[in-house]
Each structure stands twice: as C-alpha cells, then as structure tokens.
Amino acid sequence: MSELTSEELPVPPFMEPFRIKAVEPIPFPTAAERRDALVSAGWNLFRVPARAITIDLLTDSGTAAMSAAQWSALMVGDESYAGARSFERFETVVRDLTGYAEILPVHQGRAAERILLGLLLGPGDISVSNTHFDSTRAAVEAAGAQAVDLPVPVGPGELNPFGGDLDTGRLRDLLRHSADRVKCVVLTITNNAGGGQPVSVRNVKAVRQLCDAHGVPLFLDASRFAENAYLITEREDGYRHLTPREVARVVFELADGCWASLKKDGMANIGGLVALRDAGLAARAREQLIAFEGFPTYGGLAGRDLEALAQGLLEVTEPDYLRYRAECARWFGEQLGLAGLPVLQPTGCHAVYVDAGAMLPHIAPQQLPATAVANALYLAGGVRVTELGTLVFGRRDPDGGPDVPAPRELVRFTLPRRVYTLSHLEYVVDVAETVSSKADQLTGYHIVEQGGALRQFTAVLRPAAEW
Ligand SMILES: *Cc1c(COP(=O)(O)O)cnc(C)c1O
C-alpha cells in the first residue's frame, strides 16, 4: 500500500502540468501543397502563411496559450481610459515581483526600449550588454549610440552552464577607457541571441559592482526573467533552495530597473513594461509613453490585456511549469540529437538550437545552410523553425561582393509556451530525422531580393540548384 501512495508515483518531469480546455485544429498540407506554398513565398518561411504550417516553432513571442484564469480575467478588464482597476492589478503584481516602484505598461518590448534607451542615450554614447537583442540594438542605434556586446566566450563544444553571462574582464577594460561614454549596461536575461542561456546571479553581482564603481546604471532586459531564474535554481550553488520567484527578486534587486517584452514570460499574446526605481527617470519616460503609446495606465494595451498579463506573471514563476518547460527543452534536444542533428548544449528553456553549419558542411555560408535546413524541415513535414545564420546575421558587402558570413549557422526550434504536447514534438523529431538522413543531398540558396535591416523577413530566395 505505502509503495503506491501518490508521492511515490513517478511523474515524468517533462509531463505537461496542465490539461487542455480549448483546442485549435492544425493544418496538414500535402507535400505538393507545402512545395507550392514555399515557392510562392520566395523560399522564405517568414512569408509562408500560418494556414500552411503543421507545427510552428518559429518563435515563442506572443504565441503562448493562456490559462483558464487568464481567459476569465479578460472579462473583468476595466477599459477606463484613466486610472483603470486593471492597471492597479498589473502594477501591484509587477511591483511585488520586481520591487521597483515605477511601473509603465507598453504594447510590446520594442516600445519600452525606444522610450527608455531614447532617454538614456545620445549620439556618441555606448550601451554595453551581454548581447543586445536585435530590437534593443535598433533602439540604441536609433538614439545615435553604439551597442557593444560583451558575451562570455564559449568555445565550440564547451559546456558552460551560464553561457549567457557578460564578460566582466572586457567590461572592466571598456569602463576604464571610456566610462564617460557608457550610459548604461544591459543584461538580457536569458541571453536570447546567445542561445537562450542564463545569466548567473554571480555575474549580475560582478556587473553591478563595476557599474557602481563608474556610476553607470544597470538595466535588465527581463523578457525571460522566469526562465532565467529557474535555470539559476538548477545550476547555481547558493540558489538551489530558493523558488524561481525568489531568485527573480534577487536579480531584480541588483538592477536599477528593467524592461520586458511580455509576449514571452508574460504568458500572453501582447504586452510589455518598463519598471524603474528612479521617479525622475520614470516621469520622463511617462511623457514619452503619453506621446507614443497612450495614457500611463494603459500604455497601448487594453484593460483586458493588463488583466491577462497580471495573471500570466503569477503563473509563469510556478515551479511545476518551469520544470516542465526546461525538461521539455532538454528532452527535445536529446531526441533531436538521437535523430542525428548537432544540438547545442546545454539547452535552455525557450528553444533548442541546431548547428546547420556542422550538418551541411558542403554548403558555403553565402548559400545559407541554415535556410537549407529550415526549408527542408518545412518541405518534409510542414515544420517551421527559424534560420539564425547568414540570412539573419550575415552582413552585406557594400561593394556588392559576397556577404560577410554570420559567426555560426544555426536553426532555432522555438517552443511556444503551453501550446504543443510531447507528441507534437515527437512528430518534429521524426521530420528532423528524415531531413538529417538526407543532409548530404540538400542544396543551398541565393538571395534574389532583399531589403535593408531585418532582411530575413522579406527576402526572396532561389535554390542554388536552379540558379
Ligand atoms: C522579444 C524580445 C524583445 C522585443 O520585444 P517585442 O515584444 O518583440 O517588441 C526584446 N528583448 C528580448 C530579449 C526579446 O526576446
């Protein structure tokens, strides 16, 4: 009897800690339909309509499934223009989570970045980060300033549990030589561009000390604060006994403020925030908010959005949810590895990254091996992933020569929150295995048409084999 009490029944850590209440059918286009869709899209998955996608692992941004509690919170949304009750609830939840007094809602992360970085930076200034996310870099550059990335170096094949850390040695040197130009240090938690790896508390403390020594403010891009906190409870001595919410608070306390895209760990489909200690800076940010987003108690969102976000910010730090999310990514990474794909280790929470360069050594970076893998996954099974290789990070040669390749040719299998079950991911693994078994037959792509910044969204490609 005692051997079968509920505590002793093994619950697999990756088992979904929720059951399904509302469902949405997924499309199953045929192989011929997939090919037609990709040809019509100029061989660019960003241009393929969602109705032609079976499993969509393009992004974890704004793609979460909301809980029953969030859906019911929508109904009590207060749509008053000024002083809505829903703002008060949002403000209370965010204050309680972060400890910051000044809370500004915005419609999404990049609005927060434009407002805050626009106030902190001017021409000739420098913003330093473990890695600026692409929209963050765009906001820094729009202010006429320079974005300097100082990620810790992680060698190929090296396992660094805190691969998201900022290189404090290089930060010390930079501050020694140009402290007067550095107007902010930004820690992106987790470090999205750097493989979704966490930043350790130890690193945040070391960065804080350097900032204090030079009078530079420290901000967090906290879009995945809960995933970062969970990975700290798993990987960093001294924090294993704390809850993810407690660890998140420790990290927030070390900074002067934060912004976030709440389309990630807000567990909702739209939203963002700026949260600050400094009332003076907040007052200036509020003026910008009014000019570009809306009245300070809604900031470009509906009252119901604020309700769903307030509830989402409570749910996202639940240990069962975060354990499932991390274990699910780990399991998925393991399975993709067994299917023959070179998976970057360790996995984080929001995505699994695969080295397309290692998979397709016969395709030169200028012929976009990461695009070749992504497109093959779509053709083989309607799976959409993101290319993070030369199409996204390569630089055009100003004289019309070949592109300067990206440092790595990656594809990202991104996991929307609470959307796909393990059996959906098993299907993706099967599709990936088919692609991996034919890797030596895949061919690359040429870019036929492209825009300027963020060319991946609109570029038109053509298979090199048809060139
Ligand atoms: C998504 C994201 C942003 C930008 O937020 P949007 O809501 O897409 O405007 C900024 N920083 C990080 C780390 C992100 O992941």
Side-chain angles (χ1 to χ4, degrees):
M1 180 61 203
S2 66
E3 278 143 51
L4 286 178
T5 57
S6 61
E7 290 83 6
E8 288 156 24
L9 284 175
V11 176
F14 46 75
M15 186 173 93
E16 292 83 2
F18 49 81
R19 53 184 185 168
I20 295 165
K21 188 162 213 153
V23 298
E24 183 183 2
I26 55 180
F28 291 99
T30 62
E33 288 165 347
R34 296 194 295 265
R35 200 186 144 82
D36 286 351
L38 195 54
V39 170
S40 313
W43 299 91
N44 179 348
L45 287 168
F46 272 110
R47 298 165 59 118
V48 174
R51 65 183 144 72
I53 309 284
T54 301
I55 303 287
D56 204 348
L57 306 185
L58 187 70
T59 177
D60 67 326
S61 179
T63 50
M66 293 205 296
S67 65
Q70 285 177 291
W71 282 108
S72 64
L74 293 181
M75 199 63 229
V76 295
D78 176 355
E79 308 301 344
S80 302
Y81 192 94
R85 208 173 47 237
S86 300
F87 172 72
E88 291 177 339
R89 175 155 186 241
F90 176 80
E91 185 185 46
T92 303
V93 167
V94 178
R95 275 187 182 154
D96 186 52
L97 172 71
T98 62
Y100 305 138
E102 306 286 341
I103 312 299
L104 289 71
V106 292
H107 84 279
Q108 66 181 89
R110 66 199 67 182
E113 291 167 339
R114 281 288 170 130
I115 289 173
L116 191 59
L117 295 170
L119 291 172
L120 294 170
L121 300 168
D125 292 341
I126 295 175
S127 167
V128 187
S129 179
N130 49 345
T131 306
H132 294 84
F133 185 70
D134 56 13
S135 62
T136 320
R137 172 173 290 271
V140 169
E141 290 171 0
Q146 188 190 344
V148 176
D149 289 340
L150 301 178
V152 280
V154 181
E158 189 189 325
L159 266 184
N160 182 344
F162 289 104
D165 282 354
L166 185 146
D167 187 335
T168 49
R170 287 197 290 161
L171 177 61
R172 185 174 297 117
D173 289 346
L174 181 68
L175 286 170
R176 200 173 284 148
H177 297 119
S178 13
D180 53 326
R181 288 178 62 204
V182 178
K183 294 292 158 47
C184 64
V185 175
V186 178
L187 285 172
T188 308
I189 58 172
T190 58
N191 193 350
N192 184 1
Q197 289 303 307
V199 178
S200 61
V201 174
R202 187 191 149 103
N203 191 247
V204 185
K205 285 185 173 163
V207 170
R208 175 82 253 177
Q209 272 183 356
L210 288 169
C211 285
D212 283 345
H214 294 275
V216 177
L218 170 61
F219 293 97
L220 304 170
D221 176 346
S223 301
R224 295 184 185 78
F225 73 94
E227 295 178 356
N228 198 78
Y230 178 77
L231 293 171
I232 288 170
T233 68
E234 270 198 341
R235 300 182 188 177
E236 189 168 1
D237 289 335
Y239 301 94
R240 295 177 200 270
H241 63 292
L242 300 184
T243 63
R245 183 162 278 262
E246 288 165 342
V247 172
R249 184 57 178 261
V250 168
V251 172
F252 283 123
E253 270 170 8
L254 287 164
D256 296 294
C258 72
W259 70 82
S261 166
L262 296 178
K263 300 176 73 172
K264 324 293 171 43
D265 275 351
M267 301 282 252
N269 307 115
I270 195 72
L273 63 77
V274 178
L276 301 169
R277 291 188 201 289
D278 180 346
L281 181 59
R284 289 162 61 216
R286 243 172 236 118
E287 284 174 24
Q288 298 295 308
L289 187 70
I290 292 168
F292 299 111
E293 290 279 289
F295 192 79
T297 60
Y298 73 85
L301 293 168
R304 56 180 171 274
D305 296 327
L306 293 168
E307 291 284 345
L309 288 166
Q311 179 62 27
L313 287 170
L314 297 177
E315 293 175 9
V316 75
T317 53
E318 287 285 330
D320 286 346
Y321 161 72
L322 286 167
R323 185 188 321 107
Y324 141 79
R325 187 147 170 85
E327 290 293 334
C328 183
R330 180 170 312 148
W331 173 88
F332 187 39
E334 240 171 58
Q335 297 299 309
L336 288 173
L338 292 173
L341 286 84
V343 171
L344 298 200
Q345 292 291 351
T347 49
C349 284
H350 82 290
V352 173
Y353 292 72
V354 166
D355 186 343
M359 221 173 139
L360 307 181
H362 59 288
I363 300 182
Q366 288 84 3
Q367 292 197 6
L368 312 175
T371 300
V373 170
N375 285 359
L377 287 163
Y378 177 69
L379 291 172
V383 172
R384 175 156 70 174
V385 300
T386 320
E387 108 95 67
L388 292 176
T390 292
L391 185 58
V392 174
F393 294 117
R395 273 179 298 118
R396 285 171 82 171
D397 181 81
D399 305 321
D403 279 354
V404 182
R408 291 189 293 186
E409 298 295 330
L410 302 180
V411 288
R412 185 183 70 189
F413 293 68
T414 331
L415 299 169
R417 292 170 181 76
R418 303 191 292 208
V419 169
Y420 292 118
T421 64
L422 232 48
S423 73
H424 290 120
L425 298 182
E426 276 171 352
Y427 169 77
V428 174
V429 170
D430 287 347
V431 172
E433 187 161 23
T434 306
V435 169
S436 145
S437 69
K438 296 184 182 156
D440 57 344
Q441 298 163 35
L442 298 184
T443 55
Y445 289 86
H446 290 289
I447 303 176
V448 200
E449 272 176 52
Q450 58 182 315
L454 300 175
R455 65 178 179 175
Q456 69 271 22
F457 293 152
T458 53
V460 174
L461 313 176
R462 188 186 299 167
E466 291 177 12
W467 193 248

